[in-house]
Amino acid sequence: MKSFAKTPCTIVTGFLGAGKTTLVRNLIETANGRRLAIIVNEFGDVGIDGDILKGCGVPDCPGDRIVELSNGCLCCTVADDFVPALKSLLNQNEPPEHIVIETSGLALPKPLVQAFNWPEIATRVTVDGVVAVVDGPAVIAGRFADDPEALAAQRAADGSLDHDNPLEEVFEDQLLCADLIVVNKSDLMTDAERQAVAAEIAAKVQRAVKVIASEHGKLSASVLLGLGAAAEGDLGARPSHHDNEAEHDHDDFESFVLDVPAQASPDVLLARIADAVGAHDVLRVKGFVEVAGKPLRLLIQAVGNRIQHQFERPWRAGEERRGRLVFIGERGLDVAAIKNLVAG
């Protein structure tokens, strides 16, 4: 007998560089035969995260079930991008048993949850849960946890400050919409720092939400899927800074792409990236680079001044060995200066 149960969907949200893609990749690898599909959205027009996921090579999640939506934030392009992508997956001959949606690091999850009430899809899908991934060390560094007293003092001294920190708003909206909060990179924090992050989250999220720690996003599908939240019917419990706005934008942020030639040594490039990040308001760097004489492409990811790199997979036959790095930051990035620093 044909089942008419709704297809569960999990929304993975979290700020730039929190570890969403790594978490989703681990989820795919622990799905234990469950047919998954992935919708991955990025800020900017180059799909790095989708490429990482497509390279995982897990049979339960083949390339035709990984949909990339670039150059638009899902919370702003629901009608044009998200709903058609969702319907295309549901209409496959063998539709997925669970759909995972990785939002961009600047997305507000609540508008996406609201979209599940659209008549076109309301009878076919449900939000099994919203998982918010938090970069624990970034919170400790104060990137997403403004000190209220310090902020009040700053406002008193500067009358031009008439709005909240947009980074803080995005971070809070992601937490307030969550059914599960994952504090990632816990291995990079002390016990006291872990307790401080937990206290920060508890101060922002008033309802009962489970908070768990992870290292390198290593959580299995059994932990992340099957929450049964039906979040689209529980919108009132998920407040947002933007609830009273007819629309919103992301004009506080911008991105650009830098083409990078083959490198004789990645160390030189990594040092230049570190200099650029240190001198300018760069929030996130990610991309692939060719290293001369190496059959594997080099994956580079940076969050603030933390830069990671690894040889990720072989270049495919016929694949253009084109090095590209995406830089994301707050509006007003000195693009020319950053390019000069990185290019050397």
Side-chain angles (χ1 to χ4, degrees):
M1 179 179 293
K2 184 177 181 180
S3 172
F4 292 95
K6 294 182 180 182
T7 300
C9 301
T10 295
I11 296 173
V12 179
T13 187
F15 202 74
L16 296 163
K20 297 184 298 298
T21 302
T22 303
L23 180 135
V24 171
R25 183 165 181 166
N26 287 327
L27 186 157
I28 293 171
E29 293 173 348
T30 60
N32 294 324
R34 186 182 315 193
R35 287 197 312 276
L36 297 180
I38 312 295
I39 297 176
V40 57
N41 179 225
E42 297 199 56
F43 184 79
D45 59 359
V46 176
I48 301 297
D49 295 341
D51 201 4
I52 293 173
L53 293 173
K54 287 179 179 178
C56 69
V58 178
D60 300 322
C61 191
D64 63 351
R65 291 209 193 107
I66 298 177
V67 179
E68 288 183 84
L69 301 176
S70 298
N71 200 25
C73 207
L74 276 184
C75 60
C76 305
T77 60
V78 166
D80 294 335
D81 294 326
F82 172 64
V83 172
L86 195 59
K87 289 170 66 177
S88 71
L89 291 172
L90 294 170
N91 292 335
Q92 289 183 349
N93 291 331
E94 275 197 333
E97 296 170 317
H98 201 115
I99 298 172
V100 178
I101 302 144
E102 180 192 334
T103 72
S104 90
L106 299 175
L108 307 178
K110 187 170 181 178
L112 187 57
V113 175
Q114 289 172 317
F116 281 76
N117 289 313
W118 283 39
E120 288 181 76
I121 58 174
T123 61
R124 305 183 68 185
V125 290
T126 182
V127 181
D128 178 64
V130 178
V131 178
V133 185
V134 173
D135 184 332
V139 174
I140 291 299
R143 295 180 68 89
F144 317 115
D146 289 338
D147 182 331
E149 293 182 3
L151 182 60
Q154 187 180 13
R155 289 185 187 286
D158 187 350
S160 66
L161 293 176
D162 59 358
H163 58 81
D164 291 332
N165 177 352
L167 301 183
E168 178 78 356
E169 287 190 1
V170 172
F171 176 63
E172 287 186 356
D173 274 17
Q174 292 170 348
L175 292 181
L176 291 169
C177 196
D179 299 291
L180 176 67
I181 297 174
V182 176
V183 179
N184 196 26
K185 308 177 187 178
S186 64
D187 54 313
L188 302 180
M189 296 185 290
T190 65
D191 288 342
E193 289 172 336
R194 295 186 194 99
Q195 292 173 10
V197 172
E200 179 68 31
I201 292 171
K204 296 179 184 300
V205 182
Q206 301 303 311
R207 63 193 180 96
V209 176
K210 186 172 180 59
V211 180
I212 59 177
S214 72
E215 300 179 10
H216 307 289
K218 291 183 179 179
L219 294 173
S220 72
S222 62
V223 173
L224 301 170
L225 308 185
L227 301 181
E232 70 276 11
D234 185 35
L235 293 169
R238 303 163 193 267
S240 165
H241 287 280
H242 303 271
D243 277 340
N244 298 319
E245 296 180 5
E247 59 183 27
H248 66 277
D249 55 43
H250 297 287
D251 286 345
D252 295 308
F253 309 97
E254 64 179 308
S255 68
F256 69 90
V257 179
L258 177 63
D259 289 327
V260 181
Q263 301 291 302
S265 167
D267 293 338
V268 174
L269 176 63
L270 293 169
R272 289 173 178 168
I273 292 173
D275 289 342
V277 168
H280 300 276
D281 293 326
V282 177
L283 297 170
R284 184 81 164 101
V285 183
K286 55 185 174 180
F288 303 105
V289 173
E290 179 186 6
V291 177
K294 299 290 186 181
L296 306 178
R297 66 182 187 178
L298 185 71
L299 170 63
I300 296 175
Q301 302 202 66
V303 182
N305 59 6
R306 297 198 312 274
I307 302 176
Q308 297 177 317
H309 66 285
Q310 67 183 80
F311 286 102
E312 187 244 4
R313 68 158 173 82
W315 294 96
R316 298 189 180 101
E319 180 179 16
E320 182 181 10
R321 297 195 176 193
R322 183 183 185 187
R324 307 189 82 188
L325 294 174
V326 179
F327 290 76
I328 303 173
E330 296 188 70
R331 180 63 59 183
L333 280 178
D334 191 336
V335 175
I338 293 172
K339 287 184 175 180
N340 286 337
L341 278 172
V342 176

